[in-house]
Amino acid sequence: MSGRLAEVRRLHRARPRRRFVTRSVAVLALIIGLSWLGGDFQATELLGSRQQVNAARFLSELRPWPLQQPGAPDTLPAQLTVAVRWFGRMWQQKGAAAVATTLAISLVAILLSGVAGGLLSLPAARNFAVPQPFLPGGRRPSRVRIWLWRAVFGLTRGLLTVVRAVPEYIWAFLLLAVLGPTVWPLILALALHNTGSLGKLTADVIENVDPRVPRALRGAGAGRLAIVGAALVPLCLPRFLLYFFYRWEICVRESTVLGMLGIASLGFWIVDARARTHYDEMLFFVICGMALVLLGDLVSAAVRHVVRRA
Amino acid sequence: MNLERFAGPRAGLPVGSRLGSVGVMGLILAALALAGVWAAWHLRLDPGDLVPGQGGWRLARDFLGRALRPAWQFEGPYQGHGTDSLPWQALRAAVATVVFAATSLSLALVGGVVLGFLGSTSLMGRPAVVVPARLLANLLRAVHELIWAVLLLAALGRGHLVAVIAIALPYAGTLAKIFAEMMDETPADAACALELAGATPVQRFLYGILPRALPDMTAYVFYRFECALRSAAVLGFFGFPTLGYYLAASFENLYYGEVWTYLYVLLGVILAVDWWSGRLRRELAT
């Protein structure tokens, strides 16, 4: 019995340990600890008496406006009817249009980044961005062509990384100044960030593609375009769609706030209601945004389920 | 010997490669095209609006002209906090960005672990627990951190903890959702064996499921750290002293050199963490 226990101990000691991982976790923990110690945080910011009064008033003003009036009904069913009617009126006046605009912005943006990301994924794939993709043996390409393709690959990957690293909100802020107040800056901001993400993910899919199909085509004399159309697109499309819809969820969520920069969509109405201290209206638009995001999640999950099963 | 055959499992492309799926894919693509047409019609998209006006061109030229010449000194009379130099202030803003990101991630981690465990079917699996936990996680996540910030600022007024909580709430929801999925996707064989050997549900979970889900969970936490940095930077637009605050202020004063300085610092921080989490993911995948 003890022999077996010793064996278990030995195996436990001999388990694979990755030093980089343990060190990374330690470093992150250190960063978190130092941040709490060094940051300028005071508990009174949340629990001070002024904050409590403020929060209580804020919560009372979240109720729909008709219910805050002196003559409001005091039974729950009657209050609910008033609230539902107020909600319906708000939806008709502003809510429906704001939600539709927000949804439309996310759709155009994700479609643009789907196209751009799909195209840019080709020169960003290590197995495609070479002088003679999928051709084993054959004539050795000249050194110039090898370096040229390496440069194309590096530049594309770098571009995808940089557009992804900048937050959507900052892209939108910069683009608004250049393009003026239309919905384009919001669309392009979302599209840029998601192009970076989709491009990288799709490039990884292409790199993992089973090389037998493109090789067979290549052997039969197919050029780059034919390989893309006849092998890479059909092989990579399902996984691309999975990522596409996953990014769309994020896109919908993000597009609920970009309006805060001043373009009439959900985010705009939220900060507008806040500025007029109509907190009931603000809550209404927050709930609209929440519903839109949850609906997007549901649609996306359903489509991804279908794609996985197909 | 034909080695290519062994490339199969790692190729990772068995999804939908059968011929019959062409119909489904076609339908999805057609639906997407229709959605795009509706969206463009609803927004009354005009490609002509993509051409900047005269002021826009000048601004773009001035702004892009400074891309390779970021400022090293303040461009205006405004000297920042006290006698800081510009690089020093950019560094201070970067540190503040990291501080906000790290503190909010730590709070989100606590909430995400608790909600994720409750929402996973492998720990308790009782619908009375799983359903509310998942619902709460989804609701937290469905409200964007900037909206949480607006709500909390209206309720509590200014304060650094407000920003931390604004990021932590939706991130806790996201972490919970992903953690629960990762634990549920862990193969149940080891857990079943433990159960047959008489392990309690807690032991089954701690020794059968958690160790195998942990690498993926760790990698995901590092990815969320990168996201938290972006969120923290953007919260600067609401007056918190992160990179976004200085970036917006400099841009509105037309000090484009300063804008590029802050942008490069932000890029540096994010790309560093991007590299870090990418390397970690590769190490954990092997």
Side-chain angles (χ1 to χ4, degrees), chain A residues 24 36 45 184 208 253 297 310, chain B residues 11 16 46 106 141 144 161 276:
Chain A
S24 293
W36 277 116
E45 291 169 358
W184 278 115
N208 285 330
R253 186 168 177 276
D297 284 3
Chain B
D46 178 5
S106 67
R141 200 189 78 92
H144 193 281
L161 277 175
W276 187 15

Side-chain angles (χ1 to χ4, degrees), chain B residues 6-25:
Chain B
F6 296 101
R10 289 223 34 99
L13 279 164
V15 182
S17 45
R18 271 182 291 133
L19 261 181
S21 63
V22 171
V24 177
M25 298 298 153

Side-chain angles (χ1 to χ4, degrees), chain B residues 66 101 154 191 196 217 248:
Chain B
R66 293 303 302 265
L196 287 176
M217 287 164 65

Side-chain angles (χ1 to χ4, degrees), chain B:
Chain B
M1 203 166 100
N2 184 8
L3 281 173
E4 279 156 45
R5 186 172 299 169
F6 296 101
R10 289 223 34 99
L13 279 164
V15 182
S17 45
R18 271 182 291 133
L19 261 181
S21 63
V22 171
V24 177
M25 298 298 153
L27 268 180
I28 293 174
L29 291 181
L32 279 176
L34 269 180
V37 171
W38 169 79
W41 169 82
H42 176 81
L43 296 172
R44 290 178 184 71
L45 279 187
D46 178 5
D49 288 340
L50 275 173
V51 182
Q54 211 166 19
W57 277 124
R58 189 157 1 103
L59 194 148
R61 205 187 52 221
D62 292 350
F63 180 63
L64 292 176
R66 293 303 302 265
L68 297 177
R69 292 186 296 123
W72 290 94
Q73 266 134 29
F74 288 108
E75 293 180 62
Y78 169 67
Q79 291 297 316
H81 293 305
T83 52
D84 277 356
S85 63
L86 178 63
W88 193 242
Q89 180 167 299
L91 197 69
R92 194 192 288 274
V95 168
T97 310
V98 173
V99 164
F100 278 106
T103 47
S104 52
L105 184 73
S106 67
L107 287 187
L109 206 54
V110 176
V113 165
V114 172
L115 267 184
F117 284 179
L118 294 179
S120 152
T121 51
S122 51
L123 177 58
M124 307 223 246
R126 239 177 274 139
V129 181
V130 170
V131 174
R134 293 205 167 175
L135 196 66
L136 180 60
N138 271 315
L139 288 181
L140 284 175
R141 200 189 78 92
V143 177
H144 193 281
E145 53 271 17
L146 289 185
I147 298 181
W148 277 119
V150 171
L151 287 173
L152 289 170
L153 282 173
L156 298 169
R158 226 151 258 305
H160 289 178
L161 277 175
V162 166
V164 173
I165 293 173
I167 301 178
L169 286 173
Y171 276 53
T174 310
L175 285 174
K177 186 180 161 174
I178 301 289
F179 283 174
E181 276 171 16
M182 283 174 174
M183 286 185 276
D184 287 349
E185 280 166 14
T186 304
D189 47 1
C192 285
L194 284 170
E195 195 171 14
L196 287 176
T200 63
V202 175
Q203 286 173 330
R204 199 177 72 99
F205 178 78
L206 280 182
Y207 300 107
I209 291 174
L210 194 57
R212 290 166 93 178
L214 214 46
D216 279 347
M217 287 164 65
T218 312
Y220 191 71
V221 168
F222 276 80
Y223 167 67
R224 288 315 290 185
F225 184 45
E226 186 196 328
C227 298
L229 283 169
R230 273 194 286 264
S231 299
V234 168
L235 270 178
F237 281 76
F238 290 72
F240 299 101
T242 60
L243 280 163
Y245 174 80
Y246 297 100
L247 195 144
S250 294
F251 192 85
E252 269 152 16
N253 284 320
L254 313 182
Y255 302 151
Y256 297 134
E258 289 180 25
V259 175
W260 282 104
T261 313
Y262 294 125
L263 264 181
Y264 283 133
V265 171
L266 177 65
L267 269 180
V269 173
I270 287 181
L271 291 182
V273 176
D274 182 38
W275 174 86
W276 187 15
S277 75
R279 161 116 197 251
L280 193 83
R281 207 161 28 241
R282 279 195 299 281
E283 295 248 343
L284 285 169
T286 50

Side-chain angles (χ1 to χ4, degrees), chain A residues 99-145:
Chain A
V99 167
T101 304
T102 308
L103 177 67
I105 289 173
S106 78
L107 279 171
V108 177
I110 197 67
L111 285 170
L112 282 181
S113 48
V115 173
L119 288 176
L120 284 175
S121 69
L122 290 169
R126 274 181 193 82
N127 53 354
F128 191 78
V130 288
Q132 293 173 329
F134 303 114
L135 188 66
R139 221 158 35 83
R140 244 188 97 71
S142 71
R143 192 158 293 169
V144 179
R145 287 185 64 198

